[in-house]
Amino acid sequence: MIQTVRGKIKPEEFGICAAHEHLSIDLSRIKGDPDTILDDEQGMIDELTHFYKAGGCALIELTNEGMGRNVERLVRLSEKTSVHIVTCTGFYKDPFIPEFAMEWDREQFAEHFVKESQEGVDNTRVLPGVIGEIGTSVHEIKPIEKELIMGAAIAAVETGLPISTHTSLGTLGSEQVDMLIGYGVDTNQIIIGHQDLNSNKAEVLEVLQSGVYIGFDTIGKNNYRPDEERIEFLLDFIERGYHRQILLSADLTRKSHWKKHGGPGYDLVLHNFIPKLRARRVSDEIIQDLLVTNPASAFSIKEQNR
């Protein structure tokens, strides 16, 4: 089953999924930029409605504690738009981890994540469907980040929840994999994020060869990397047979990303990126895997681990 903010659903009910997004977020404590505050609930409804009309059915909302998580709002958004929304338990990375948890060890992180997965997040009865987004710094795993990742691993083994990670600029994906698998997390529980930001193809292939899922999840952020380069890598990975391990999304985190403010909106993958794949002769079957089959599998709770 997949745990959404409105309850569990069957994987076949999930539909086209944006696998790494943010609807209600506030990164201004660290970034000091009001553009990184998404707090316009009617705006969220309008943006999600565009996504739904484009064919989108589900969205993984990876805003965790310390990033401005608001699960009661997510429930209202899901009710009003009919989009399945999955929320998370977790902490992001240094320096976004809340001050109260900055000295925690892996066991404390694990205890917190397990408790939220069983009792609900933010003093609600809303259960998370994923541990995420947990992350590492650019070319560096800080001590607190190592404890965070290992705590997430402990919680994933105990709960069966998938783990969705943040890799800064796509770096250290293999190191994250080694840590998680080394603790006993199944490869089909692991989504290594932002691998479309890594221009070192060998490093991304190493992650894929481990058997985990990866996120091509910053689509449209051409200031980091042109989408044409993303497409060239993706086509090569498809040719190598890795299309059943790849998830797509855009990771919108700013007001300026919304259609309301002149941005592309949450439907940009469906309206802009998928037509480019079709133009490069990517089959409907593979596109179905990228948008529907893969996320339905990746975000299913692995009950056998409980």
Side-chain angles (χ1 to χ4, degrees):
M1 304 295 284
I2 295 171
Q3 179 68 56
T4 78
V5 296
R6 291 195 288 158
K8 285 186 171 67
I9 63 172
K10 297 177 180 179
E12 55 266 29
E13 299 175 70
F14 210 39
I16 291 174
C17 175
H20 187 125
E21 292 297 344
H22 302 274
L23 292 167
S24 179
I25 192 170
D26 186 351
L27 303 178
S28 62
R29 177 176 68 91
I30 302 300
K31 295 197 175 239
D33 183 352
D35 194 37
T36 63
I37 303 173
L38 299 179
D39 58 0
D40 173 4
E41 187 164 323
Q42 183 57 50
M44 296 171 199
I45 292 170
D46 295 341
E47 297 292 323
L48 274 178
T49 298
H50 289 300
F51 174 68
Y52 186 76
K53 289 181 177 179
C57 298
L59 183 145
I60 310 301
E61 217 284 356
L62 288 168
T63 305
N64 55 41
E65 190 172 2
M67 299 173 74
R69 181 178 62 185
N70 186 328
V71 295
E72 291 178 320
R73 174 178 283 161
L74 297 183
V75 173
R76 292 192 296 271
L77 295 176
S78 183
E79 289 172 345
K80 291 178 180 179
T81 65
S82 298
V83 174
H84 299 301
I85 298 175
V86 173
T87 193
C88 60
T89 182
F91 299 115
Y92 182 23
K93 67 181 184 70
D94 186 52
F96 294 90
I97 298 169
E99 290 185 11
F100 68 80
M102 281 299 295
E103 301 298 325
W104 281 8
D105 62 21
R106 62 192 64 180
E107 297 293 341
Q108 289 170 294
F109 282 121
E111 181 181 2
H112 182 77
F113 302 154
V114 170
K115 182 178 180 180
E116 289 201 327
S117 74
Q118 295 173 345
E119 300 178 8
V121 300
D122 299 338
N123 297 312
T124 72
R125 301 187 70 176
V126 178
L127 299 178
V130 60
I131 301 168
E133 70 179 286
I134 59 165
T136 51
S137 300
V138 180
H139 296 298
E140 178 186 9
I141 301 178
K142 297 180 180 180
I144 188 64
E145 294 168 347
K146 179 178 180 180
E147 294 304 306
L148 171 60
I149 289 174
M150 295 309 298
I154 294 168
V157 170
E158 182 168 341
T159 65
L161 288 176
I163 296 177
S164 183
T165 78
H166 166 96
T167 60
S168 295
L169 300 181
T171 63
L172 300 179
S174 288
E175 286 79 358
Q176 290 185 355
V177 170
D178 289 345
M179 292 169 65
L180 294 169
I181 292 179
Y183 192 80
V185 183
D186 288 344
T187 55
N188 64 358
Q189 279 179 270
I190 300 170
I191 304 108
I192 301 298
H194 310 331
Q195 290 304 282
D196 56 325
L197 292 178
N198 193 338
S199 60
N200 186 324
K201 185 182 288 186
E203 289 184 0
V204 183
L205 280 170
E206 186 175 358
V207 176
L208 283 167
Q209 288 162 359
S210 72
V212 304
Y213 294 98
I214 69 168
F216 261 56
D217 52 21
T218 64
I219 290 167
K221 293 187 175 181
N222 292 297
N223 55 319
Y224 287 102
R225 193 180 187 206
D227 273 352
E228 189 54 41
E229 291 185 10
R230 289 182 173 88
I231 289 172
E232 292 304 322
F233 269 36
L234 183 56
L235 293 175
D236 183 42
F237 297 153
I238 290 170
E239 181 67 23
R240 295 170 185 260
Y242 291 118
H243 56 277
R244 295 299 296 270
Q245 295 171 235
I246 300 171
L247 309 175
L248 304 182
S249 209
D251 191 21
L252 304 192
T253 58
R254 292 175 173 267
K255 290 183 176 74
S256 54
H257 292 154
W258 283 9
K259 289 181 182 292
K260 177 178 181 177
H261 301 292
Y266 296 95
D267 58 355
L268 77 89
V269 171
L270 300 177
H271 275 159
N272 300 342
F273 196 73
I274 294 300
K276 292 177 182 178
L277 295 184
R278 293 189 192 279
R280 300 295 294 271
R281 301 184 184 278
V282 176
S283 70
D284 289 344
E285 181 181 4
I286 288 176
I287 289 172
Q288 177 81 2
D289 285 339
L290 298 173
L291 294 176
V292 179
T293 308
N294 297 353
S297 175
F299 293 102
S300 292
I301 299 173
K302 310 307 186 283
E303 300 287 351
Q304 69 272 20
N305 284 2
R306 295 192 169 199

